């Protein structure tokens, strides 16, 4: 059956076709299926969020709050009870139009359909989805739907690539519907145990949880504003704010407008006694200015997929980790949780692999991880938490290095993303392996069936 959501657009899921045979999905790393070189990324100038390592504060939280991993296990268990047992959430998209194709598919589905096991297919590619294709789909979709080029989001600061809702998003007449879509996608990522490859501001996550933001939340979003508000709170403003009322002047599309922070704000003067209320209202306006409808639509789409009460135990920093995973790649944790097939720790191919990884900067390590697993993010529990299948409660699937002597020494490495496995030919030198691996992760895309 199908229906229409009056606010956000069409909903309804078609019947599921027969379940496909279980086949390993594998990247085609030499050329695309038509024999041509793969196209360049269409992400434009959108900076890669994973180039920014996870903050020291986040890493300390992971080490000190082991309860987060336990809370996540409880969340996964509760979400598993909500997963529709039969059928698949089938989505077919093209790489070139992953944003619009995904939007059309997701907006026509009921919530029960979004909770079915993901089965993503890239048009023109043969790979079947048992985890890896879905991870790559979310990786590509993240870069598109959150790209400031489309006007839905903007960078909170010029020097840090964290995202916030763009108050001028109405330049796109359908922007509310798109925010509803983004909310559904973020919810689906959590529901199916995947990650969004981007970073929002902490106030964004706090608002998503329905919690009130304070002046302290502005420190990393707008340091100058935060400093100004703190100064007001810590100093006597009686002589400075003689004419200041509960109003602010702001620019709206080139026009200076006055906004009352509360009813009758024009008539109420800011005093030493009520300055805290003034600061609180100013912070609230600063975070919500022109973004109320957008935030409400995003939140509605999000909580349709992941019920709000299931996230009550998490704070905004924990929610950020649940949505984005870890951006920091810990090599020792990676090495300790890697499975070896047809090789040992003493094999040259294994020694060379870790030497290549150690030489890489953080961004290249993330790209290598994305090539092999379909995601550039690391689970909250580290590499031990890597999973394969798209089912909510699927078991671990460790990162695997597989030596394949039958492959030509001139071949590129291949990745089976659904199994987090890297097939490496028996290269005759470190330089050859480094060059081939670099070519594979930087210049290839697409899935094939083996």
């Amino acid at each position: 059956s199908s229906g229409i959501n009056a606010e956000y657009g069409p909903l309804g899921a078609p019947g599921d076709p027969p379940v496909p045979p279980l086949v390993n999905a594998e990247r085609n790393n030499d050329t695309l299926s038509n024999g041509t070189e793969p196209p360049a990324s269409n992400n434009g100038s959108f900076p890669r969020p994973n180039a920014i390592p996870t903050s020291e504060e986040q890493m300390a939280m992971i080490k000190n709050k082991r309860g987060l991993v336990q809370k996540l296990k409880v969340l996964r268990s509760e979400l598993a009870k909500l997963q529709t047992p039969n059928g698949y959430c089938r989505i077919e998209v093209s790489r070139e139009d992953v944003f619009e194709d995904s939007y059309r598919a997701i907006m026509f589905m009921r919530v029960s359909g979004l909770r079915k096991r993901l089965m993503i297919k890239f048009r023109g590619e043969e790979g079947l989805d048992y985890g890896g294709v879905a991870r790559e789909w979310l990786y590509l979709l993240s870069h598109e739907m959150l790209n400031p080029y489309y006007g839905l989001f903007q960078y909170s600061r010029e020097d840090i690539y964290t995202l916030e809702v763009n108050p001028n998003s109405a330049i796109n007449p359908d922007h509310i519907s798109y925010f509803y879509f983004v909310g559904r996608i973020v919810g689906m990522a959590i529901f199916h145990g995947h990650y969004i490859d981007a970073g929002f501001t902490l106030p964004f996550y706090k608002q998503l949880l329905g919690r009130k933001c304070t002046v302290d939340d502005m420190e990393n979003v707008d340091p100058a504003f935060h400093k100004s508000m703190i100064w007001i709170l810590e100093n006597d403003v009686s002589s400075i704010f003689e004419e200041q009322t509960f109003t602010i002047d702001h620019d709206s599309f080139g026009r200076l407008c006055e906004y009352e922070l509360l009813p009758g704000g024009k008539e109420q003067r800011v005093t030493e006694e009520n300055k805290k209320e003034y600061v609180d209202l100013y912070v609230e306006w600063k975070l919500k200015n022109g973004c109320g409808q957008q935030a409400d639509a995003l939140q509605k789409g999000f909580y349709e997929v992941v019920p709000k009460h299931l996230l009550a135990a998490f704070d905004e920093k924990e929610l950020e980790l649940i949505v984005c995973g870890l951006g920091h790649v810990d090599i020792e944790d990676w090495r300790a949780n890697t499975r070896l097939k047809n090789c040992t720790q003493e094999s040259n191919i294994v020694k060379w692999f870790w030497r290549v990884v150690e030489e890489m900067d953080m961004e290249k390590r993330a790209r290598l991880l994305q090539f092999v697993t379909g995601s550039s993010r690391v689970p909250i529990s580290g590499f031990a938490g890597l999973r394969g299948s798209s089912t909510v409660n699927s078991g671990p699937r460790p990162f695997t290095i597989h030596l394949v002597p039958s492959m030509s020494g001139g071949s590129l490495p291949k990745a089976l993303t659904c199994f987090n496995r890297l097939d490496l030919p028996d290269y005759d030198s470190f330089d050859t392996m480094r060059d081939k691996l670099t070519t594979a992760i930087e210049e290839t895309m697409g899935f094939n069936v083996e």
Side-chain angles (χ1 to χ4, degrees):
S1 61
S2 62
I4 295 291
N5 181 305
E7 285 186 274
Y8 304 115
L11 303 172
D16 290 291
V19 178
L22 183 62
V23 182
N24 295 354
E26 178 179 348
R27 289 178 181 273
N28 177 342
N29 293 298
D30 296 314
T31 58
L32 298 183
S33 58
N34 60 6
T36 62
E37 290 298 317
S41 170
N42 61 350
N43 291 331
S45 59
F46 186 30
R48 295 174 53 80
N50 55 40
I52 306 170
T54 302
S55 68
E56 293 180 5
E57 184 180 17
Q58 278 189 332
M59 295 306 295
M61 184 174 71
I62 291 298
K63 293 177 181 177
N64 298 330
K65 293 180 72 175
R66 298 300 182 186
L68 173 57
V69 175
Q70 184 57 40
K71 284 194 287 186
L72 189 60
K73 288 182 179 178
V74 173
L75 174 63
R76 294 263 178 262
S77 175
E78 292 300 313
L79 292 177
K81 297 175 184 176
L82 298 175
Q83 186 166 46
T84 307
N86 300 315
Y88 290 84
C89 175
R90 297 180 183 276
I91 301 172
E92 181 172 335
V93 299
S94 68
R95 289 178 179 270
E96 294 76 18
D97 295 308
V98 64
F99 188 6
E100 288 298 327
D101 286 351
S102 300
Y103 172 80
R104 284 189 288 269
I106 296 299
M107 294 297 283
F108 272 90
M109 291 187 183
R110 294 191 182 280
V111 175
S112 59
L114 301 179
R115 289 174 175 171
K116 293 180 180 180
R117 176 175 170 175
L118 292 177
M119 189 62 69
I120 310 299
K121 177 175 174 55
F122 286 107
R123 202 166 294 130
E125 300 176 23
E126 299 178 8
L128 296 178
D129 187 11
Y130 291 93
V133 186
R135 286 192 290 268
E136 172 137 347
W137 168 63
L138 282 168
Y139 171 84
L140 295 174
L141 181 56
S142 300
H143 280 244
E144 288 297 301
M145 71 182 187
L146 304 178
N147 191 333
Y149 172 82
Y150 293 105
L152 298 177
F153 296 90
Q154 64 183 13
Y155 295 125
S156 60
R157 288 166 52 182
E158 293 181 358
D159 56 338
I160 296 180
Y161 296 126
T162 51
L163 296 164
E164 62 185 6
V165 173
N166 183 353
N168 298 319
S169 63
I171 193 170
N172 178 340
D174 297 319
H175 69 131
I176 298 302
S177 179
Y178 279 101
F179 278 106
Y180 175 66
F181 162 74
V182 172
R184 281 189 151 200
I185 291 297
V186 176
M188 287 174 68
I190 292 180
F191 191 92
H192 295 286
H194 299 313
Y195 299 105
I196 296 296
D197 194 53
F200 298 102
T201 62
L202 283 179
F204 173 91
Y205 293 107
K206 203 167 187 178
Q207 290 174 315
L208 195 57
L209 288 169
R211 295 170 188 169
K212 186 177 180 180
C213 293
T214 68
V215 65
D216 292 335
D217 295 314
M218 298 300 299
E219 185 172 7
N220 292 322
V221 178
D222 190 335
F225 175 80
H226 173 261
K227 186 177 180 180
S228 176
M229 294 298 104
I230 293 298
W231 190 94
I232 291 172
L233 292 174
E234 295 180 349
N235 293 273
D236 190 332
V237 297
S238 301
S239 59
I240 300 174
F241 276 5
E242 290 181 356
E243 299 182 4
Q244 178 64 48
T245 60
F246 274 69
T247 61
I248 54 175
D249 295 327
H250 69 102
D251 181 272
S252 178
F253 296 100
R255 188 164 54 93
L256 191 63
C257 300
E258 184 180 62
Y259 176 83
E260 289 187 313
L261 293 173
L262 47 71
K266 287 183 181 180
E267 311 302 326
Q268 184 166 338
R269 193 170 67 86
V270 178
T271 66
E272 185 67 17
E273 290 70 31
N274 65 19
K275 67 181 183 181
K276 186 179 185 307
E277 181 185 12
Y278 169 79
V279 168
D280 289 344
L281 290 171
Y282 201 164
V283 168
E284 183 179 3
W285 175 87
K286 185 81 171 174
L287 291 171
K288 292 185 177 179
N289 176 32
C291 301
Q293 284 185 301
Q294 298 96 310
D296 289 346
L298 193 151
Q299 192 176 61
K300 178 178 175 63
F302 177 71
Y303 282 123
E304 279 185 353
V305 184
V306 179
K308 187 175 183 178
H309 71 274
L310 295 183
L311 295 175
F314 299 92
D315 62 28
E316 65 276 9
K317 294 178 182 178
E318 293 170 333
L319 181 59
E320 178 184 28
L321 290 169
I322 294 171
V323 171
C324 297
L326 295 174
H328 178 82
V329 178
D330 184 330
I331 297 179
E332 292 308 311
D333 178 49
W334 192 349
R335 193 197 306 262
N337 290 284
T338 292
R339 177 187 171 207
L340 303 178
K341 190 173 181 180
N342 294 344
C343 53
T344 69
Q345 293 287 0
E346 300 304 313
S347 301
N348 282 336
I349 208 72
V350 175
K351 292 179 179 179
W352 292 342
F353 173 81
W354 293 119
R355 182 177 162 191
V356 170
V357 172
E358 288 168 356
E359 289 181 357
M360 291 176 167
D361 59 23
M362 192 62 70
E363 180 175 3
K364 287 185 178 178
R365 289 174 193 163
R367 292 179 70 175
L368 170 60
L369 188 62
Q370 192 273 333
F371 172 73
V372 180
T373 70
S375 173
S376 63
R377 319 302 289 188
V378 181
I380 294 173
S381 55
F383 280 88
L386 281 180
R387 298 161 65 235
S389 170
S390 288
T391 52
V392 173
N393 56 355
S394 64
R397 181 76 69 171
F399 186 94
T400 300
I401 298 174
H402 180 206
L403 177 61
V404 190
S406 60
M407 291 174 62
S408 165
S411 301
L412 294 178
K414 292 185 178 180
L416 283 81
T417 59
C418 295
F419 304 99
N420 301 324
R421 193 179 95 196
L422 177 65
D423 285 357
L424 286 173
D426 195 5
Y427 295 117
D428 57 8
S429 71
F430 167 77
D431 289 339
T432 299
M433 176 185 165
R434 179 180 55 192
D435 292 344
K436 295 293 185 181
L437 187 58
T438 300
T439 299
I441 64 176
E442 292 185 353
E443 299 182 14
T444 63
M445 66 173 66
F447 290 89
N448 204 345
V449 174
E450 182 181 77

